[in-house]
């Protein structure tokens, strides 16, 4: 990491107050102190620079709760001319590079810190709830030095070349005044430790404040942007301070842990629910004082720290571990459930992607810890207490209470199913490893099982040990997993032809977008600014909308010199709009007339406005947790993907349709306006970012009365009444936690209704039943069919029982061989392709003898069907039916698959059936001899 020279840290305040700069021999960092003889930085760290000396001995004038400390911080800086700013959400939807807000400066990156947009105030003060899941492994063992959810106080100043607010010296003076005069800490107890801060793409020198062993805040002087690991000077120098409000509260109370300070009686209730008595106060204080030694990072271990602590407090390591583990788990449960309440309250649905992945990780770790404490039945009680406690300061928690509880219920059910499914998977992996003489499940496999199947390593370990295979879980496993998922993936640029002129247009002036001046403009005149590759045309202004925000590009024509050439694609490259044309191109500097395909554009406008209407309807029907996940507009059909924790019901879809069409009947005005980013966020909140992060100093706001408001760059109607009619034609779950709604607008919607009506009339004719009795008639037909199928299955089972009882009595169609104690029965069902009969016969054989593998096949002359079923004994010997079918089916030009014990496949190359069966037998023999 880059180091800064002494001059970057040496401020006049230090000289005036008698601070000297020393080097800590233990951690190797420089620090500033008023005591020249001080040898170490006195921070309680794993390196052992010092222990905590504030436990049961607070240095402040009085004790502060978390809420009191928050208010003390905000009020102090308000008096010093800072404007108080409301906290931002914990889900950073205004950014496209991260998912969660992990520091107060995240609120202002990159737009304010890079000079793109002005700050909401300058200087400002804020207390921001933050979530930092990379600290998840340390949450509990470090007694509160690490938390996954915490409050960060920040007083920020943004210094421009023409406007200096304040910089390093004044920042340190403000800080020192707060900690000494406001809180009452003695000046000589305040130590400043040098460091380098890097985060959110920015960097700068910083000093960390240490009081009685506890680091309480960091004062960052942000002046660089990190580009390819290089520090590049920013046009703005930002004062980025991070005051640990939770830690300050802990310091002021001198409590045994930060959890005691923050949660108070709620923590005691969790201890009671878990049936754990808190340990002797004197012993607790001794342990708390040395808890700074713990840090479960990539190198340190719990055991190493435990040994040090055990030696200091005079206990055996195993006794200390047995004493502390349940206490640490209670600490973590208190922290994780609070963190969950904040994440879920902002509409995050636990899933396998993005911020949903992090929510699921948090839930499953909390649930596992509660299971270890024997209190999973109290999950909802704990969550209810958390919501009750924190909603006093964050009212949205209470508003979302019912949705949070329902989301948790669904996630708990999913987790139970995951564990049930996972047992068989882990057993198979363990048996395979055992066969290969590998005694332990590799960490890579544990990671894959968690990432791909949602199986926590502790569950994997439990199942694996039953099979005689070990599983060593890294102590920082969850932190490593979280670290891999906290950053949003980098944007993948499309490699379409429209990118070809990207470099060539970089020196051109911005194209004037006429479609924003008048969205109903159908034709226009413009000057040709540039022609590229005899195919791409750049105009000084255009009414053609470029593809973006899920809205396809406009099409139409350019008219010039008696030519009328088709515009087939329109893309925006930077601030320049590029038209791809088919045919002859106009000359540069000439005047053209543009004609857009108005019928197509008007349908896209209807569908885009409909997207906002349906999104608003979904929130009203399903709840405030609904967020737009993706969208694509079309002329006949469009789609909207929304976050939701379970499959939609027909009743819910119908309610959404009714609300959407009521909004159409009201003909709500659709207003568009360009607004400053901070102004728009202040006025409308962060619901603006339904479509994701929006770059730029200003954002275009589309407001549909009180129905919906979003940052949106698309073209829209003047009023909702122009849509006429909306019909949701289809819904499906496209991935865990995401529901897709497909809908039509106007005449296409009517056509959809009419097509469905045609199908009903046809069905009415087929079943010879009037429409009003169609449902009853269909139910009767299906019931009779089920009864007939049940009778058929009964007959097949009887036939199968007879056939399985006479194994070997059909030498023309059956071959029996024995391999390593396993009986392989190969049977040709001749012209019969009846899978039910094959399955029933194989089942009956295996019921009689688990050491059996059935290889059955048949053909009707056009198609071939092959099936393999293996008994438990055969599986233990290494049989894999899925592998057999895949290799055999490939020979007959088809495919197939299944599980280890049962698989089926087929193909159309009938003449190669003997080769396929031969291959199947070879694979089976190879498996059994392996």
């Amino acid at each position: 990491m880059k180091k800064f020279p002494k001059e970057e840290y040496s401020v006049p305040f230090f000289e005036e107050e008698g601070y000297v700069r020393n080097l800590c021999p233990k951690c190797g960092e420089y620090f500033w102190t008023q005591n020249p003889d001080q040898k170490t930085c006195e921070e309680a760290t794993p390196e052992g620079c010092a222990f905590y000396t504030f436990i049961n001995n607070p240095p402040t004038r009085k004790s502060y709760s978390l809420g009191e400390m928050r208010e003390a911080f905000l009020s102090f800086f308000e008096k010093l001319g800072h404007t108080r700013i409301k906290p931002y959400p914990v889900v950073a939807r205004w950014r496209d590079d991260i998912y969660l807000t992990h520091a107060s400066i995240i609120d202002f990156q990159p737009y304010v810190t890079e000079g793109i947009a002005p700050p909401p105030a300058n200087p400002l003060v804020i207390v921001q709830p933050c979530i930092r899941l990379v600290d998840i492994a340390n949450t509990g063992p470090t007694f509160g030095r690490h938390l996954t959810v915490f409050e960060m106080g920040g007083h920020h100043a943004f210094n421009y070349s023409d406007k200096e607010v304040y910089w390093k010296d004044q920042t340190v003076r403000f800080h020192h005044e707060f900690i000494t005069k406001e809180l009452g800490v003695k000046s000589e107890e305040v130590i400043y430790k040098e460091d380098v801060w890097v985060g959110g793409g920015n960097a700068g020198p910083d000093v960390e404040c240490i009081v009685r062993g506890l680091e309480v805040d960091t004062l960052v002087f942000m002046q660089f942007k990190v580009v390819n690991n290089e520090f590049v000077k920013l046009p703005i120098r930002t004062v980025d301070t991070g005051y640990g409000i939770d830690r300050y509260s802990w310091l002021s109370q001198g409590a045994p842990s930060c959890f005691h300070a923050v949660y108070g009686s709620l923590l005691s209730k969790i201890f009671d629910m878990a049936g754990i008595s808190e340990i002797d106060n004197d012993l607790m204080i001794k342990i708390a004082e040395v808890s700074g030694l713990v840090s479960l990072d990539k190198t340190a271990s719990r055991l190493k720290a435990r040994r040090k602590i055990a030696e200091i407090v005079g206990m055996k390591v195993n006794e200390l571990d047995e004493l502390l583990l349940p206490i640490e788990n209670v600490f973590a449960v208190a922290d994780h459930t609070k963190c969950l309440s904040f994440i879920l309250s902002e509409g995050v649905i636990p899933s396998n992607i993005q911020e949903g992945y992090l929510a699921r990780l948090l839930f499953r770790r909390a649930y596992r810890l509660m299971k270890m404490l024997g209190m999973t039945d109290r999950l909802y009680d704990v969550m209810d207490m958390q919501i009750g406690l924190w909603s006093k300061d964050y009212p949205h928690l209470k508003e979302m209470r019912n949705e949070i509880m329902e989301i948790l219920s669904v996630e708990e059910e999913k987790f139970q199913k995951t564990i049930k499914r996972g047992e068989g998977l882990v057993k198979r992996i363990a048996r395979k490893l055992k066969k290969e003489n590998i005694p332990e499940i590799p960490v890579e496999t544990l990671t894959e099982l968690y990432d791909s199947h949602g199986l926590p390593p502790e569950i994997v370990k439990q199942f694996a040990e039953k099979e005689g295979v070990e599983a060593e879980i890294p102590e920082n496993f969850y932190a490593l997993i979280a670290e891999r998922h906290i950053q949003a993936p980098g944007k993948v640029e499309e490699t379409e032809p429209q990118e070809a002129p990207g470099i060539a247009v970089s020196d051109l002036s911005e194209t004037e977008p006429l479609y924003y001046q008048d969205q109903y403009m159908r034709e226009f005149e413009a000057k040709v600014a540039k022609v590229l590759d005899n195919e791409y045309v750049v105009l000084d202004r255009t009414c053609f909308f470029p593809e973006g925000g899920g809205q396809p590009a406009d099409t139409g024509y350019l008219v010039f010199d008696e030519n009328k050439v088709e515009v087939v694609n329109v893309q925006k490259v930077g601030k320049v709009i590029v038209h791809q044309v088919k045919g002859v191109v106009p000359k540069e500097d000439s005047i053209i007339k543009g004609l857009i395909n108005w019928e197509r554009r008007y349908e896209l406008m209807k569908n885009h406005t409909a997207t906002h209407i349906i999104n608003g309807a979904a929130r009203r029907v399903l709840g405030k947790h609904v967020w737009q996940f993706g969208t694509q507009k079309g002329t006949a059909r469009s789609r909207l993907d929304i976050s939701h924790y379970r499959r939609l019901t027909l009743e819910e879809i119908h309610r959404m349709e009714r609300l959407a069409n009521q909004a159409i009947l009201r003909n709500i005005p659709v207003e568009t306006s360009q607004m400053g980013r901070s102004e728009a966020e202040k006025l409308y909140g962060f619901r603006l970012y339904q479509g994701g992060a929006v770059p730029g100093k200003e954002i275009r706001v589309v407001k549909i009365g009180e129905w919906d408001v979003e940052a949106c760059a698309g073209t829209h109607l003047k009023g909702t009444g122009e849509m006429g009619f909306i019909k949701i034609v289809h819904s499906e779950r496209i991935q865990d936690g995401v529901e897709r709604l497909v809908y039509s607008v106007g005449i296409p919607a009517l056509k959809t209704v009419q097509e469905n009506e045609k199908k009903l009339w046809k069905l009415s004719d087929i079943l010879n039943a009037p429409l009003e009795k169609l449902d009853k008639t269909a139910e009767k037909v299906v019931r009779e069919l089920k009864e007939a199928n049940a009778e058929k299955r009964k007959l097949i089972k009887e036939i199968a029982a007879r056939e399985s009882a006479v194994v070997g009595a059909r030498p023309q169609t059956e071959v029996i061989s024995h391999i390593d104690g396993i009986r392989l029965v190969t049977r040709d069902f001749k012209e019969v392709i009846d899978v039910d009969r094959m399955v029933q016969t194989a089942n009956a054989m295996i019921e009689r003898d688990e050491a059996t593998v059935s290889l059955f096949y048949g053909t009707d002359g056009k198609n071939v069907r092959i099936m393999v079923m293996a008994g438990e004994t055969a599986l233990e010997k290494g049989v894999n039916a899925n592998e057999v079918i895949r290799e055999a089916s490939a020979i007959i030009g088809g495919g197939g698959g299944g599980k280890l014990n049962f698989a089926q496949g087929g193909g159309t190359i009938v003449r190669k059936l003997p080769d396929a069966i031969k291959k199947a037998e070879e694979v089976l023999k190879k498996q059994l001899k392996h």
Side-chain angles (χ1 to χ4, degrees):
M1 181 183 286
K2 180 182 176 72
K3 292 284 186 180
F4 290 102
K6 175 184 177 181
E7 292 71 33
E8 289 286 350
Y9 302 94
S10 182
V11 294
F13 172 81
F14 286 158
E15 186 177 348
E16 291 171 19
E17 296 298 319
Y19 273 85
V20 295
R21 187 177 188 246
N22 291 340
L23 178 67
C24 180
K26 294 200 173 183
C27 66
E29 302 293 343
Y30 284 99
F31 63 95
W32 295 80
T33 176
Q34 289 180 319
N35 178 7
D37 298 324
Q38 186 179 317
K39 301 300 181 186
T40 73
C41 66
E42 292 194 2
E43 181 182 4
T45 63
E47 290 84 6
C49 303
F51 298 142
Y52 294 135
T53 55
F54 71 91
I55 304 295
N56 209 30
N57 182 32
T60 55
R61 189 178 296 111
K62 68 171 191 173
S63 173
Y64 292 82
S65 69
L66 181 65
E68 289 168 343
M69 186 60 74
R70 182 194 309 122
E71 185 53 40
F73 173 80
L74 289 168
S75 298
F76 176 81
F77 282 97
E78 269 189 310
K79 291 172 189 173
L80 294 174
H82 295 67
T83 301
R84 185 187 296 216
I85 301 296
K86 288 183 179 179
Y88 281 44
V90 297
V91 182
R93 289 189 167 96
W94 61 95
R95 298 188 57 160
D96 60 9
D97 57 338
I98 58 173
Y99 298 123
L100 302 173
T101 307
H102 58 262
S104 61
I105 196 63
I106 293 298
D107 302 347
F108 313 108
Q109 289 175 318
Y111 308 112
V112 176
T113 58
E114 293 185 15
I116 298 168
N122 195 13
L124 60 83
V125 63
I126 187 171
V127 172
Q128 175 63 48
C130 297
I131 293 177
R132 197 172 288 177
L133 294 185
V134 291
D135 290 333
I136 196 167
N138 280 310
T139 302
T142 62
F143 273 50
R145 189 171 81 252
H146 297 88
L147 304 168
T148 67
V149 60
F150 57 94
E151 296 190 20
M152 180 180 287
H155 58 95
H156 299 291
F158 305 95
N159 299 288
Y160 300 82
S161 57
D162 60 346
K163 183 187 178 183
E164 181 88 3
V165 182
Y166 63 82
W167 191 226
K168 295 178 185 177
D169 187 61
Q170 190 59 61
T171 301
V172 178
R173 289 178 189 274
F174 281 156
H175 170 270
H176 208 77
E177 185 180 343
F178 172 71
I179 199 168
T180 56
K181 293 183 180 178
E182 182 71 21
L183 300 185
V185 177
K186 292 177 182 177
S187 181
E188 60 267 26
E189 292 199 74
V190 182
I191 300 160
Y192 294 93
K193 186 176 176 181
E194 295 179 9
D195 201 357
V196 177
W197 182 87
V198 178
N202 299 134
D206 74 69
V207 289
E208 299 163 353
C209 175
I210 316 297
V211 178
R212 296 196 182 179
L214 182 65
E215 179 196 336
V216 286
D217 50 45
T218 303
L219 314 178
V220 181
F221 307 107
M222 196 168 77
Q223 51 195 306
F224 300 101
K225 182 177 182 178
V226 183
V227 181
N228 297 324
N229 294 321
E230 294 293 324
F231 284 12
V232 180
K233 276 275 187 182
L234 285 165
I236 295 174
R237 290 171 298 123
T238 301
V239 173
D240 169 23
T241 62
Y243 288 61
I245 304 299
D246 303 74
R247 290 190 185 188
Y248 266 110
S249 179
W250 183 17
L251 181 77
S252 76
Q253 293 181 36
S257 78
C258 189
F259 303 100
H260 288 83
V262 171
Y263 295 97
S265 62
L266 189 149
L267 184 71
S268 299
K269 289 174 184 175
I270 298 176
F271 271 113
D272 290 341
M273 289 176 182
I276 296 170
S277 301
E278 293 199 52
I279 61 177
D280 175 76
N281 192 54
D282 290 341
L283 178 58
M284 189 69 170
I285 290 170
K286 277 186 181 180
I287 295 170
E289 287 172 344
V290 294
S291 61
L293 292 168
V294 181
S295 179
L296 306 182
D297 58 20
K298 293 175 184 175
T299 54
S301 71
R302 183 192 298 267
L303 183 60
K304 185 179 177 182
R306 282 281 199 265
R307 282 174 181 155
K308 286 184 183 178
I309 295 170
E311 186 179 343
I312 292 167
V313 301
M315 292 181 70
K316 291 180 180 178
V317 176
N318 62 332
E319 290 175 349
L320 182 66
D321 204 53
E322 190 177 323
L323 179 73
L324 285 185
L325 191 58
I327 293 172
E328 292 169 354
N329 288 348
V330 168
F331 289 166
V333 165
D335 170 272
H336 293 1
T337 49
K338 177 186 177 183
C339 193
L340 262 178
S341 69
F342 273 77
I343 290 180
L344 299 183
S345 72
E346 292 188 9
V348 175
I349 304 300
S351 67
N352 296 325
I353 54 168
Q354 300 180 2
E355 61 268 26
Y357 182 97
L358 299 172
R360 175 163 286 173
L361 179 147
L362 192 64
F363 169 81
R364 294 190 173 181
R365 186 168 196 266
Y367 196 83
R368 180 189 65 81
L369 293 172
M370 293 182 89
K371 189 168 185 179
M372 290 172 68
L373 292 166
M375 54 176 294
T376 52
D377 59 324
R378 306 304 297 271
L379 168 66
Y380 303 95
D381 295 328
V382 174
M383 288 297 292
D384 217 17
M385 290 191 300
Q386 294 281 18
I387 292 167
L389 177 61
W390 303 113
S391 60
K392 296 166 190 171
D393 299 311
Y394 303 97
H396 68 281
L397 291 169
K398 190 172 184 179
E399 293 169 14
M400 291 292 289
R401 180 200 172 277
N402 292 343
E403 289 179 56
I404 290 171
M405 293 304 186
E406 192 164 351
I407 291 168
L408 282 175
S409 175
V410 171
E411 187 59 17
E412 182 181 20
E413 186 181 334
K414 286 180 180 177
F415 191 31
Q416 299 292 359
K417 289 178 180 177
T418 295
I419 293 171
K420 196 172 182 180
R421 286 196 305 267
E423 184 169 9
L425 176 62
V426 175
K427 277 184 178 179
R428 290 194 291 274
I429 291 170
R431 287 171 182 173
K432 185 180 178 184
L433 291 173
K434 204 170 180 181
K435 207 169 189 179
E436 295 170 358
N437 293 317
I438 300 173
E440 187 176 294
I441 293 183
V443 173
E444 297 77 25
T445 304
L446 290 176
T447 303
E448 185 186 344
L449 285 169
Y450 188 86
D451 265 350
S452 303
H453 302 278
L455 285 171
E458 299 81 7
I459 301 294
V460 175
K461 180 181 174 73
Q462 179 185 327
F463 291 151
E465 285 178 348
K466 288 180 181 178
E467 302 299 319
V469 175
E470 295 296 319
E472 188 65 33
I473 305 168
E475 291 173 335
N476 61 339
F477 178 85
Y478 289 96
L480 294 173
I481 292 291
E483 197 168 7
R484 289 171 49 180
H485 293 271
I486 56 174
Q487 295 288 128
K491 288 186 176 179
V492 179
E493 297 294 334
E494 296 176 0
T495 54
E496 297 292 331
Q498 61 267 14
E499 287 197 345
I503 298 172
V505 301
S506 60
D507 59 344
L508 295 178
S509 299
E510 180 178 356
T511 308
E512 182 184 354
L514 297 173
Y515 47 81
Y516 285 156
Q517 293 178 23
D518 180 2
Q519 296 174 100
Y520 288 77
M521 185 183 292
R522 306 181 186 200
E523 56 184 68
F524 65 98
E525 286 190 351
K527 184 179 179 181
V528 179
K530 192 82 173 176
V531 175
L532 301 147
D533 300 337
N534 212 35
E535 184 181 7
Y536 302 99
V537 178
V538 179
L539 307 173
D540 65 339
R541 59 184 197 155
T542 186
C543 189
F544 283 92
F545 182 83
E547 181 183 9
Q551 180 172 329
D554 281 339
T555 58
Y557 298 93
L558 298 184
V559 181
F560 57 92
D561 300 335
E562 298 183 355
N563 295 303
K564 187 177 181 181
V565 298
E566 187 180 0
V567 176
V568 295
N569 198 359
V570 186
Q571 296 291 325
K572 194 170 186 181
V573 182
K575 294 184 177 181
V576 177
I577 297 172
V578 183
H579 307 72
Q580 185 179 6
V581 299
K582 190 177 180 182
V584 64
V585 294
K587 292 178 181 179
E588 291 182 4
D589 296 324
S590 64
I591 303 298
I592 62 91
K593 184 176 183 179
L595 305 172
I596 70 167
N597 181 338
W598 173 247
E599 187 178 335
R600 181 174 181 276
R601 155 74 84 79
Y602 192 48
E603 289 301 322
L604 289 171
M605 287 166 64
K606 288 180 184 178
N607 278 271
H608 204 145
T609 304
T611 301
H612 291 222
I613 292 294
I614 292 174
N615 197 23
R619 283 199 304 276
R620 286 163 173 79
V621 172
L622 304 175
K624 292 180 180 178
H625 65 272
V626 169
W627 281 78
Q628 178 180 307
F629 196 83
T631 180
Q632 184 62 50
K633 291 86 181 176
T635 54
R637 285 191 177 186
S638 296
R639 62 172 170 79
L640 170 67
D641 300 336
I642 58 172
S643 56
H644 189 49
Y645 47 85
R646 58 160 54 107
R647 284 305 327 272
L648 296 174
T649 65
L650 184 61
E651 182 186 350
E652 288 168 338
I653 292 169
H654 283 170
R655 284 172 62 200
M656 282 188 261
E657 279 183 334
R658 283 196 296 273
L659 284 174
N661 282 290
Q662 284 169 10
I664 290 173
L665 290 171
R666 286 162 53 196
N667 194 22
I668 305 169
V670 181
E671 303 168 284
T672 60
S673 58
Q674 288 291 133
M675 300 182 73
R677 176 178 293 277
S678 297
E679 180 192 359
E681 290 172 352
K682 186 177 180 180
L683 196 57
Y684 299 118
F686 293 87
R687 277 280 175 191
L688 281 168
Y689 303 116
Q690 283 289 325
V694 179
K697 179 180 180 179
E698 292 188 334
I699 57 179
R700 183 168 179 266
V701 176
V702 176
K703 185 176 184 292
I704 306 176
E706 298 301 315
W707 187 265
D708 182 77
V709 59
E710 296 181 29
C712 178
T715 57
H716 288 272
L717 305 169
K718 289 179 181 177
T720 59
E722 293 180 55
M723 281 181 280
F725 173 51
I726 287 177
K727 175 64 183 171
I728 298 174
V729 299
H730 175 67
S731 82
E732 62 178 311
R733 167 144 290 191
I734 58 167
Q735 60 192 49
D736 195 17
V738 180
E739 291 288 310
R740 172 165 292 172
L741 295 167
V742 180
Y743 52 93
S744 293
V745 183
I747 296 301
L750 178 62
K751 286 179 179 177
T752 298
V753 172
Q754 290 173 337
E755 285 168 7
N756 288 339
E757 195 172 21
K758 278 183 186 177
K759 290 173 184 174
L760 284 173
W761 278 65
K762 186 176 180 181
L763 192 57
S764 176
D765 286 342
I766 291 170
L767 296 178
N768 193 26
L771 284 175
E772 62 271 18
K773 293 184 178 179
L774 198 56
D775 54 343
K776 298 293 182 185
T777 304
E779 285 173 4
K780 181 184 176 186
V781 170
V782 171
R783 184 171 61 250
E784 290 172 350
L785 182 61
K786 284 180 178 178
E787 290 170 355
N789 283 334
E791 186 62 28
K792 179 186 173 185
R793 284 194 297 272
K794 182 181 175 184
L795 292 171
I796 288 173
K797 194 170 184 178
E798 290 174 1
I799 294 169
R802 288 199 297 272
E803 289 185 336
S804 65
V806 289
V807 173
R810 300 171 61 182
Q812 295 83 13
T813 60
E814 185 176 87
V815 177
I816 299 173
S817 52
H818 292 83
I819 311 159
D820 193 23
I822 299 299
R823 182 180 63 165
L824 171 59
V825 180
T826 306
R827 179 175 291 184
D828 181 0
F829 277 69
K830 291 295 183 183
E831 293 81 16
V832 181
I833 300 185
D834 190 333
V835 177
D836 277 349
R837 184 175 160 193
M838 289 182 183
V839 170
Q840 293 287 2
T841 304
N843 269 329
M845 285 183 178
I846 288 167
E847 280 177 12
R848 286 189 172 88
D849 185 358
E850 288 285 345
T852 298
V853 175
S854 301
L855 171 58
F856 294 169
Y857 59 95
T859 176
D860 60 4
K862 293 180 181 179
N863 298 290
V864 176
R865 176 63 64 180
I866 307 174
M867 186 211 80
V868 175
M869 185 180 290
E872 189 65 30
T873 308
L875 291 177
E876 289 171 1
K877 293 271 189 175
V879 169
N880 183 336
N882 181 48
E883 183 185 355
V884 176
I885 286 297
R886 277 192 287 107
E887 296 206 27
S889 296
I891 293 173
I892 51 176
K899 299 180 180 179
L900 287 174
N901 67 322
F902 174 70
Q904 57 180 317
T908 56
I909 308 176
V910 179
R911 58 186 172 78
K912 288 196 174 182
L913 176 57
D915 296 335
I917 299 306
K918 185 179 179 183
K919 182 66 176 178
E921 290 174 338
E922 287 173 359
V923 174
L924 280 164
K925 287 174 183 176
K926 186 178 177 182
Q927 289 174 348
L928 289 166
K929 289 180 179 179
H930 181 65

